[in-house]
Amino acid sequence: MPVVDFWFEFASPYSYVAALRVEAAAAERAVGIRWRPFLLGPIFATQGWNTSPFNLWPAKGRYMWRDLARSCETYGLAFKRPPEFPQNSLIAARLALIGASEGWLVPFAKAVFTAEFGEGRDISRPESLGAILAPLGLDPATLLVRARTDEAVKSRLKASTEEAQSLGIFGAPSFVTEDNELFWGSDRLEAALDWASGAAKRPG
Amino acid sequence: MPVVDFWFEFASPYSYVAALRVEAAAAERAVGIRWRPFLLGPIFATQGWNTSPFNLWPAKGRYMWRDLARSCETYGLAFKRPPEFPQNSLIAARLALIGASEGWLVPFAKAVFTAEFGEGRDISRPESLGAILAPLGLDPATLLVRARTDEAVKSRLKASTEEAQSLGIFGAPSFVTEDNELFWGSDRLEAALDWASGAAKRPG
């Protein structure tokens, strides 16, 4: 079974749409998905940006929120614009990496995205993350301490972000096939899966 | 019949893909298309950019050319990356506005885009534009002088570009419905047409 890396950032609105769509789309095409949390902040910083391009360029930002609302309507996803954007996603991303090694990354990631963009909650707050971890049968107190202090987890997130940048990733969500073909944006999910499964026409 | 304004910029790669797709997609949904040439340069300038974002941010630019090649393959369009990017599209845009009032805008625009991104030609050169006008049964010499000197045409292009900006347009191609719903990108063509025809679900 071919595998596609799904690179996502918890602060990214279109990563929400992709995260809630990716499983069904991949199953339809018999493609496996590896969920890869990373941070866009350090990548944006190398481009000279200190916040999201949606804040730097207001016309683009206004458009994005409207387009996101329409996309959620199209795909049947809840949408509520969070009061703060972008949200600090550091602890959530580290928790996701812990989840990757313990088998609960996917339900955790989907719950974080749904809380943030479906319910308008602030996922930078430990209480919000705790309220997501507990219903998954996980211990918030232990995990939140680990996310703040575990050096191995910190290093893994740094290494993932560096790997993303070395793959040419400049935004989220992005999809990378086993032959290193890069696709950017929730809209390119199907194209990435078709590429991986061999269904896509390839330029010469 | 509902009408969608198709805002395009001759220097824009994805405007090529949209221009070659828009007629069939609109006909399928019984939506009319009004072709609206404009210039992105003045809009980019208000964002502090002196060239295309694809040049300002190299990772994004590298991705775009690869994604464009893939999209052309998917849609069965010729693709040849032009040596220079972006190309000065001022004269081509003014010619398109003359064409709008004389009934030859659409074949002209499609031929310009195909020359530029399908054949890698430089459409800023008068000879390239002449070689496009002549086969349409038009007189290149007269039209090229008019495109350089006709004050009414110059004003119309300026007004169109200001109208685009006032609609919230920040990139090309863009689509605007009669109820002023904005869609950005060749990928949003179908969504814009579905919105116009009443087939799209609308957010509350």
Side-chain angles (χ1 to χ4, degrees), chain B residues 14-51:
Chain B
Y14 290 108
S15 289
Y16 163 49
V17 180
L20 277 280
R21 299 206 303 118
V22 68
E23 289 175 302
E28 253 177 47
R29 290 162 182 85
V31 172
I33 295 293
R34 196 158 56 141
W35 292 56
R36 305 293 310 270
F38 76 114
L39 297 180
L40 263 179
I43 294 175
F44 283 171
T46 65
Q47 300 180 170
W49 304 347
N50 60 359
T51 181

Side-chain angles (χ1 to χ4, degrees), chain A residues 14 47 49 57 59-60 63 66-67 69-71 73-74 168 170 181-184 187-188 195 201-204, chain B residues 14 47 49 57 59-60 63 66-67 69-71 73-74 168 170 181-184 187-188 195 201-204:
Chain A
Y14 290 108
Q47 301 178 171
W49 303 346
W57 295 288
K60 202 176 172 106
Y63 172 78
R66 179 63 179 168
D67 186 61
R70 289 190 309 234
S71 295
E73 196 68 30
T74 300
F170 55 91
E181 196 73 19
L182 171 65
F183 296 82
W184 169 55
D187 297 327
R188 286 289 184 274
W195 187 279
K201 290 185 196 167
R202 296 175 181 229
Chain B
Y14 290 108
Q47 300 180 170
W49 304 347
W57 295 288
K60 202 177 172 107
Y63 173 77
R66 178 64 178 167
D67 186 62
R70 288 190 309 233
S71 294
E73 196 67 31
T74 299
F170 55 91
E181 196 74 18
L182 170 64
F183 296 82
W184 169 53
D187 297 327
R188 286 288 183 276
W195 188 279
K201 290 185 197 167
R202 297 175 180 229

Side-chain angles (χ1 to χ4, degrees), chain A:
Chain A
M1 191 192 251
V3 173
V4 167
D5 274 10
F6 166 40
W7 290 89
F8 64 95
E9 149 70 89
F10 282 119
S12 148
Y14 290 108
S15 290
Y16 162 49
V17 180
L20 278 280
R21 298 204 307 117
V22 68
E23 289 175 301
E28 254 177 46
R29 291 161 180 85
V31 172
I33 294 294
R34 197 158 54 141
W35 292 57
R36 306 293 310 269
F38 76 114
L39 297 180
L40 263 179
I43 294 177
F44 283 171
T46 66
Q47 301 178 171
W49 303 346
N50 61 359
T51 181
S52 163
F54 297 126
N55 288 350
L56 291 170
W57 295 288
K60 202 176 172 106
R62 275 190 298 274
Y63 172 78
M64 178 276 287
W65 289 112
R66 179 63 179 168
D67 186 61
L68 188 69
R70 289 190 309 234
S71 295
C72 289
E73 196 68 30
T74 300
Y75 295 119
L77 303 176
F79 172 68
K80 187 173 176 185
R81 180 174 172 173
E84 188 163 338
F85 176 81
Q87 294 181 9
N88 189 321
S89 55
L90 178 68
I91 300 300
R94 287 191 191 150
L95 286 169
L97 282 178
I98 300 172
S101 56
E102 295 182 355
W104 47 266
L105 179 154
V106 175
F108 172 75
K110 287 162 67 180
V112 170
F113 278 123
T114 300
E116 184 180 13
F117 296 108
E119 298 159 16
R121 275 153 60 191
D122 183 351
I123 59 94
S124 70
R125 296 175 63 226
E127 309 89 88
S128 302
L129 294 169
I132 288 163
L133 291 164
L136 298 174
L138 301 162
D139 178 38
T142 313
L143 285 166
L144 286 165
V145 168
R146 230 187 118 190
R148 266 185 235 106
T149 57
D150 188 324
E151 293 300 327
V153 172
K154 291 186 192 179
S155 299
R156 248 153 59 211
L157 183 56
K158 257 188 210 160
S160 287
T161 297
E162 285 164 11
E163 185 186 347
Q165 189 156 24
S166 75
L167 288 166
I169 289 175
F170 55 91
S174 289
F175 307 92
V176 180
T177 63
E178 286 163 297
D179 56 349
N180 276 335
E181 196 73 19
L182 171 65
F183 296 82
W184 169 55
S186 172
D187 297 327
R188 286 289 184 274
L189 167 58
E190 286 78 6
L193 296 171
D194 286 345
W195 187 279
S197 72
K201 290 185 196 167
R202 296 175 181 229

Side-chain angles (χ1 to χ4, degrees), chain B residues 30-98:
Chain B
V31 172
I33 295 293
R34 196 158 56 141
W35 292 56
R36 305 293 310 270
F38 76 114
L39 297 180
L40 263 179
I43 294 175
F44 283 171
T46 65
Q47 300 180 170
W49 304 347
N50 60 359
T51 181
S52 163
F54 297 127
N55 289 349
L56 290 170
W57 295 288
K60 202 177 172 107
R62 276 190 298 274
Y63 173 77
M64 179 275 287
W65 288 113
R66 178 64 178 167
D67 186 62
L68 189 69
R70 288 190 309 233
S71 294
C72 288
E73 196 67 31
T74 299
Y75 295 119
L77 303 176
F79 173 67
K80 186 172 176 187
R81 180 174 171 173
E84 189 164 336
F85 176 82
Q87 294 183 7
N88 189 321
S89 55
L90 178 68
I91 300 300
R94 287 191 192 150
L95 286 168
L97 282 179
I98 299 173

